[in-house]
Amino acid sequence: MQAFGYTGKILRVDLGTGKITTNDTLKYKDFIGGEGIAMKIMWDEVGPGIKPYDPANKIIFGTGPLCGTGAPCSGRTNITSLLPSSPFYGVASSHMGGYFATELKYAGWDMIVVEGKAASPVWLRIEDGKVKIEDARWMWGKGIFDTQAMVTSFMGSQAQVAAIGQAGENLVNLSVIRTGSSHSAGGHGGVMGSKNLKAIGVIGTGSVKIAADPKAWMELDKYMMSLIGANNQMVVPSHPQPWAEFNNPTSRWTGRKGLYWGAANPPVETGECNPHDMQSVGYRTQKAVFDLGPGAEKYTVRMGGCSHCPIRCHAQLKVPELERYGMDPYVANTCVGWSGPRGVMFKGYKPLAGKTAEETRVIANAVGTKLADDYGVWCNYAQLGRDIAYCYNKGVFKRVLSAEEYASIPWDMLLNGDPAFYFDFYDRVSNKKGEFSHIADGSYWIAQRWNLGDDYWNDKDNKLWTRGGYPVHHSNESGAQVGALISCFSNRDAQNHSHMNYIGSKLPLALQKEIAGEIFGSPDAYDAPSNYTPMNEYKARFVKWSLDRSLLHNSLTLCNWMWPMAVSPLKERKYRGDTSLEAKFYSLATGIKMSEAELDDAAARCFTLFRAITVRQMGTFDMRKEHDQTTKWVTAQEKAKDGSYMKQFTPGTIAMEEQDMQLGLTMVYKQFGWDEKTGAPTKAGLEKHGMADVAKDLASRGLLPA
Amino acid sequence: MENQEPSPEITPKALPLVEAIRAASKGGALVTQRTLEKEFPDLNVHALITESGVKDLKKMEGSSDVYYFSDLSMTEAYAVFMYRINEKDPVRLIAETVRDDSRIYPRPTPVATFREPPFSLSARDVEEALGRMTLRPDLEDIKRSSASNGALYLYSSQFLSEAQGDALTEWFEVGVRENP
């Protein structure tokens, strides 16, 4: 049967036996693709008790039916496996952009399931239908940049490569899998390492077939392109512009007259980027100045990004000063790829000789980012830097490191803001040198190992969201209970931008509230920033919608850092977007007609399955008590500048309130059809989603609420 | 523009004025009546524009001149910024912009904004304006707040409480960068 959207084939590689087989993707189509299908495979094949680095664990590289079709922002790869930094090795997904996913589709594969463990280091070579397990002993021990160069030297420059560095090889929990120069999936590098799998190279010479008439597809594509904003679907420019009614200095729509890609030859002016000019979409987001400050403008060669994405959100820089550190001058990244390494230097940078503070920030950050990207170290959404700061400031390192090891660490460099500290730091961490290197085990594990106690978890500045060991990621500061509750359901930092791509649009409050009313049933779904109200049903709908859409995007695969399109930059549409676009693209690509509600329901099926896996892994169905609780600072009253405490739900505080959060959990459980007391999936709920087998399995283990 | 009645046919006499205003707006600038009178000394500028009935042409009365723009390529919001800049009264420019930000979004306004385009005030102008603002009883609602990195913001107490002004200042200046 001809598959549309999907290639129809899942590649299975057993590194233990060397066996390479193929599965039919369409037998999983109820789980959409990418993350959804990966959850199904993890449920079916990776039972409780298996640990991330066991050969029995699997790592699944997934694309979805929209990847490779040309649908805007569809170049994401979803990677699902057990997460080493999680206390119970919870199933979790990491994500990377770049061109790997599209190339995989063009090679004829929707997903790769890697099983077992190779006897010695290998890399996987995929050239269309030809798949080979190759010897990687010579690559082992190399950084990711060298590894990519070696794989492409075998396969040719068309190859897209996903690889691990020394951190992944050495089973560092906080390690990444990276593709391209700057696209990292954080958390699962060690799982690849545990399988002795250094890299995957892929070349695809085929195409993705779609069911629709190409004209209908192009019309939808153009319509979508008219609604798209800048990075994170911010639809308001940072500076006042003649075409704009609104502006916001914190917008990622930084493009304007007088702002350049300064290191391009000749320099390229981003220009006004009128929203009606589709050809200038790629200039809207000058991300270098957003991420690194105004000093980055002159170092910017261009913006990069992912396949089939008009939003170029990765800053690609030429920083000649890197040569002083023995590095080539080219460096690229985005968001936490910059701020994660910056956080490691928690005392900041001291201006380098002959450089301004703004220049230093770029140069020093570039050193850290380049090393993190080469060794393949994950920052746990910037928590790594906070953990270092906490352990240093609270004397933990002095307590747990031997005097000899403590003395060997160049603290003076760290305290004096010298970026050369990065060389020592990333080498120690990636190569697991000494007790200090356990800092990259992840927050839960260092709390256990170094007996950090309640103070560590409940410290507001430390930003840990749950005892699961992951931090704030667009949580209570983003839409009050909406962001707060979204962060409670993950097994890692929430990685959810469904709510942010609307909340963060930068439109005025009145408009935001109108749009919330239209999507969630009441303007009360959205609170003004720092002026929150108690929980209500509409916020619960917003939470469910955000969780569903994130899983949907990771399944289709669309970029959840852009989608959904709840808003647009168009005044003539009263800034409304279109939340049915995913369903329209899915229907046209696959020929399987799905309404917006039906596709959201399919995503809810996948999310419920994710929840069921978590229940099975934790061995309890009391998710409310054992999984969904935040650390204490989240519900503690905040201090005003005058030292007084601010009561929750008064202007100026974003603190949550304990009872209100519990009510919020109950309301969200109800939205999903889960048990309102425990937050676990029920027999009826699972059966409604066609997962009677899951209900039966959980019941047999005593894990189904009565 | 949406729901706008079609303009009547432009008379040959009014045409150069309409074209001049539209061209300026396309370039992001307002046109003053005095400029037009200088450029077209034989024309009764004010009468011709007013009587032309061209819907996209908009007028704003300034303290010593009249400003025109075309909303075909310039929003009213931007025209108001340009108007404030052209009036060369930094105190008013800052106060009115701050009040708008606090009312519409609502958010405090970074003082650094006024050093950047399209305002591009000098550091001295900004400093002097801030000093003069504190002496004006009619601007008592304009309050200052500082982020932990030292950045100064302004907000209007008509629309934001002190606690909210402080919290949002810290969020926009520091929090947004730490939570990308």
Side-chain angles (χ1 to χ4, degrees):
Chain A
M1 183 177 134
Q2 169 73 57
F4 294 106
Y6 303 95
T7 66
K9 288 190 302 178
I10 294 172
L11 174 64
R12 271 186 190 261
V13 179
D14 187 329
L15 294 175
T17 62
K19 207 169 149 192
I20 293 167
T21 53
T22 301
N23 289 152
D24 175 12
T25 311
L26 292 182
K27 79 171 186 176
Y28 292 109
K29 74 174 168 45
D30 286 351
F31 296 89
I32 309 168
E35 185 173 26
I37 292 180
M39 288 298 163
K40 175 65 174 156
I41 293 170
M42 292 300 284
W43 170 266
D44 288 345
E45 303 176 23
V46 181
I50 294 172
K51 294 181 179 171
Y53 300 144
D54 290 348
N57 183 23
K58 305 196 178 190
I59 183 164
I60 303 164
F61 296 77
T63 74
L66 294 185
C67 179
T69 61
C73 316
S74 60
R76 304 289 298 177
T77 304
N78 182 90
I79 301 172
T80 298
S81 190
L82 303 180
L83 189 73
S85 56
S86 157
F88 57 95
Y89 307 123
V91 67
S93 296
S94 51
H95 320 93
M96 60 188 190
Y99 292 75
F100 183 86
T102 311
E103 198 74 20
L104 188 66
K105 289 285 293 273
Y106 294 164
W109 305 104
D110 289 310
M111 307 177 77
I112 311 168
V113 182
V114 181
E115 314 173 329
K117 178 184 179 180
S120 62
V122 296
W123 66 280
L124 190 61
R125 180 176 188 153
I126 302 170
E127 287 161 314
D128 293 328
K130 206 170 119 194
V131 180
K132 274 181 78 183
I133 299 168
E134 303 274 17
D135 191 334
R137 281 175 296 176
W138 179 237
M139 287 177 196
W140 205 253
K142 304 279 194 301
I144 297 178
F145 287 111
D146 280 349
T147 304
Q148 290 173 320
M150 291 171 90
V151 172
T152 48
S153 76
F154 285 116
M155 296 183 72
S157 59
Q158 193 197 324
Q160 295 300 325
V161 184
I164 56 170
Q166 295 91 334
E169 290 177 10
N170 293 319
L171 313 187
V172 172
N173 289 351
L174 300 190
S175 57
V176 306
I177 299 164
R178 180 161 66 76
T179 188
S181 58
S182 55
H183 302 273
S184 294
H188 289 124
V191 177
M192 262 180 87
S194 73
K195 298 187 176 306
N196 270 331
L197 178 60
K198 180 68 175 171
I200 302 173
V202 56
I203 288 178
T205 60
S207 61
V208 176
K209 310 286 186 286
I210 60 169
D213 166 29
K215 268 190 188 165
W217 180 265
M218 283 308 294
E219 267 172 37
L220 184 62
D221 195 65
K222 276 189 182 165
Y223 168 57
M224 153 69 191
M225 284 294 293
S226 76
L227 304 182
I228 202 166
N231 179 226
N232 283 187
Q233 192 56 4
M234 293 186 184
V235 296
V236 165
S238 60
H239 290 67
Q241 306 226 20
W243 55 265
E245 280 197 296
F246 309 113
N247 71 90
N248 187 310
T250 59
S251 175
R252 298 178 184 208
W253 189 314
T254 46
R256 61 177 166 84
K257 269 189 179 168
L259 183 71
Y260 286 82
W261 298 351
N265 186 16
V268 173
E269 186 177 22
T270 55
E272 274 183 4
C273 306
N274 188 304
H276 295 99
D277 175 15
M278 214 180 279
Q279 298 306 321
S280 65
V281 173
Y283 295 116
R284 289 177 186 173
T285 305
Q286 212 293 20
K287 196 68 188 323
V289 295
F290 183 87
D291 286 338
L292 296 161
E297 183 180 5
K298 70 173 181 183
Y299 294 110
T300 306
V301 177
R302 63 170 190 164
M303 291 297 122
C306 308
S307 61
H308 299 161
C309 184
I311 305 297
R312 315 309 285 169
C313 70
H314 281 237
Q316 299 188 333
L317 310 183
K318 182 177 183 183
V319 184
E321 291 86 348
L322 287 182
E323 291 181 21
R324 291 187 201 167
Y325 296 88
M327 296 168 148
D328 72 86
Y330 298 101
V331 60
N333 226 299
T334 192
C335 295
V336 179
W338 298 115
S339 65
R342 189 161 65 238
V344 167
M345 301 285 291
F346 65 87
K347 294 282 188 186
Y349 303 124
K350 188 178 163 196
L352 295 162
K355 299 291 168 189
T356 64
E358 286 180 351
E359 290 167 333
T360 298
R361 183 180 159 111
V362 178
I363 298 161
N365 207 152
V367 172
T369 290
K370 189 122 179 154
L371 286 166
D373 281 351
D374 196 39
Y375 281 113
V377 174
W378 181 39
C379 70
N380 192 13
Y381 193 66
Q383 187 60 35
L384 181 59
R386 286 189 290 270
D387 282 344
I388 295 167
Y390 181 92
C391 291
Y392 182 84
N393 292 329
K394 302 275 181 175
V396 175
F397 289 133
K398 258 202 171 133
R399 175 166 61 82
V400 301
L401 269 54
S402 68
E404 191 188 356
E405 184 180 354
Y406 191 87
S408 75
I409 295 172
W411 298 111
D412 54 330
M413 285 183 174
L414 175 65
L415 303 178
N416 292 328
D418 179 352
F421 176 77
Y422 285 128
F423 285 90
D424 183 276
F425 172 75
Y426 283 112
D427 173 48
R428 263 177 218 269
V429 162
S430 308
N431 291 306
K432 284 198 164 171
K433 291 181 176 172
E435 183 66 23
F436 178 83
S437 70
H438 287 283
I439 194 76
D441 287 358
S443 297
Y444 171 81
W445 297 109
I446 62 166
Q448 296 295 110
R449 185 178 184 88
W450 295 339
N451 193 24
L452 300 185
D454 289 345
D455 177 69
Y456 170 70
W457 293 108
N458 298 329
D459 184 333
K460 187 183 175 209
D461 293 336
N462 212 22
K463 295 189 176 179
L464 283 157
W465 191 255
T466 80
R467 295 219 176 202
Y470 61 82
V472 161
H473 191 161
H474 304 313
S475 309
N476 60 322
E477 82 289 353
S478 302
Q481 296 92 340
V482 175
L485 289 163
I486 285 169
S487 276
C488 291
F489 291 89
S490 295
N491 291 334
R492 55 165 297 165
D493 64 294
Q495 292 276 293
N496 192 313
H497 297 79
S498 309
H499 60 316
M500 284 312 295
N501 300 338
Y502 146 71
I503 286 172
S505 71
K506 312 295 181 188
L507 288 167
L509 177 63
L511 264 169
Q512 293 274 71
K513 278 187 152 298
E514 276 176 24
I515 293 167
E518 290 160 12
I519 301 175
F520 310 114
S522 165
D524 295 341
Y526 176 68
D527 286 338
S530 290
N531 194 7
Y532 293 170
T533 63
M535 185 65 195
N536 62 52
E537 182 197 332
Y538 308 103
K539 290 180 182 177
R541 288 188 197 173
F542 190 177
V543 173
K544 179 175 184 291
W545 180 82
S546 300
L547 292 169
D548 285 346
R549 287 290 166 118
S550 172
L551 212 148
L552 176 64
H553 300 149
N554 296 337
S555 300
L556 284 172
T557 34
L558 291 175
C559 179
N560 187 243
W561 282 253
M562 281 304 298
W563 289 82
M565 299 289 141
V567 293
S568 78
L570 302 181
K571 184 185 174 195
E572 61 270 29
R573 285 180 63 94
K574 297 192 170 78
Y575 301 97
R576 268 58 169 179
D578 186 339
T579 58
S580 70
L581 274 166
E582 293 95 325
K584 287 172 179 158
F585 272 115
Y586 177 87
S587 300
L588 285 185
T590 63
I592 303 165
K593 268 204 168 288
M594 287 274 244
S595 67
E596 181 180 359
E598 286 168 334
L599 201 56
D600 279 346
D601 197 50
R605 173 185 301 123
C606 301
F607 200 82
T608 297
L609 182 59
F610 162 64
R611 188 75 161 174
I613 299 173
T614 303
V615 165
R616 192 172 69 175
Q617 283 190 288
M618 292 188 79
T620 173
F621 59 79
D622 195 349
M623 291 286 98
R624 180 192 293 270
K625 190 168 157 228
E626 303 297 333
H627 184 280
D628 300 342
Q629 297 301 313
T630 66
T631 46
K632 295 247 185 309
W633 69 266
V634 177
T635 52
Q637 288 187 350
E638 292 183 295
K639 267 189 184 173
K641 270 196 173 167
D642 64 6
S644 64
Y645 283 96
M646 293 181 280
K647 212 173 162 221
Q648 285 91 339
F649 310 124
T650 57
T653 178
I654 57 168
M656 298 287 96
E657 200 271 323
E658 176 57 33
Q659 297 283 28
D660 186 77
M661 278 293 283
Q662 296 308 320
L663 174 65
L665 287 172
T666 305
M667 286 178 160
V668 176
Y669 298 159
K670 187 178 177 186
Q671 287 290 324
F672 274 103
W674 299 340
D675 178 48
E676 289 178 39
K677 191 175 161 210
T678 62
T682 62
K683 182 169 185 281
L686 288 163
E687 285 175 349
K688 176 185 156 269
H689 281 305
M691 298 191 289
D693 58 323
V694 176
K696 200 174 158 193
D697 182 290
L698 289 177
S700 73
R701 298 171 193 272
L703 294 174
L704 212 52
Chain B
M1 302 302 290
E2 58 192 317
N3 304 323
Q4 196 165 275
E5 292 289 320
S7 296
E9 201 171 317
I10 303 168
T11 63
K13 264 196 162 179
L15 188 61
L17 297 173
V18 174
E19 284 177 342
I21 294 167
R22 284 179 177 167
S25 294
K26 229 175 180 176
L30 303 178
V31 184
T32 63
Q33 187 166 312
R34 228 170 268 157
T35 310
L36 290 171
E37 284 169 349
K38 225 174 179 181
E39 200 175 331
F40 305 101
D42 300 337
L43 300 179
N44 183 343
V45 171
H46 184 73
L48 277 170
I49 294 173
T50 309
E51 289 158 17
S52 73
V54 179
K55 303 285 184 198
D56 61 284
L57 299 195
K58 307 289 173 189
K59 184 175 89 172
M60 291 183 293
E61 297 281 351
S63 53
S64 62
D65 209 335
V66 176
Y67 302 94
Y68 296 102
F69 71 98
S70 161
D71 71 7
L72 288 177
S73 53
M74 183 184 286
T75 62
E76 190 183 332
Y78 191 80
V80 168
F81 284 130
M82 289 294 105
Y83 167 88
R84 290 172 184 162
I85 293 164
N86 277 278
E87 285 288 284
K88 299 196 183 340
D89 179 355
V91 171
R92 195 173 152 204
L93 162 70
I94 293 173
E96 290 180 354
T97 304
V98 167
R99 280 182 183 147
D100 281 352
D101 284 356
S102 293
R103 176 177 55 85
I104 296 170
Y105 294 99
R107 64 165 190 248
T109 307
V111 168
T113 289
F114 299 105
R115 300 288 321 280
E116 294 177 6
F119 309 108
S120 302
L121 296 178
S122 68
R124 196 172 152 187
D125 279 349
V126 172
E127 200 180 318
E128 280 180 8
L130 294 182
R132 277 189 280 142
M133 285 168 85
T134 58
L135 306 172
R136 295 256 305 255
D138 60 320
L139 302 180
E140 259 182 358
D141 64 306
I142 307 296
K143 307 288 185 193
R144 296 177 181 215
S145 54
S146 300
S148 59
N149 67 358
L152 183 63
Y153 277 60
L154 303 172
Y155 65 93
S156 166
S157 59
Q158 290 181 44
F159 309 104
L160 289 171
S161 69
E162 184 182 357
Q164 216 178 346
D166 286 343
L168 290 173
T169 293
E170 184 64 14
W171 170 246
F172 286 125
E173 185 63 30
V174 180
V176 167
R177 310 283 166 186
E178 285 182 355
N179 297 272

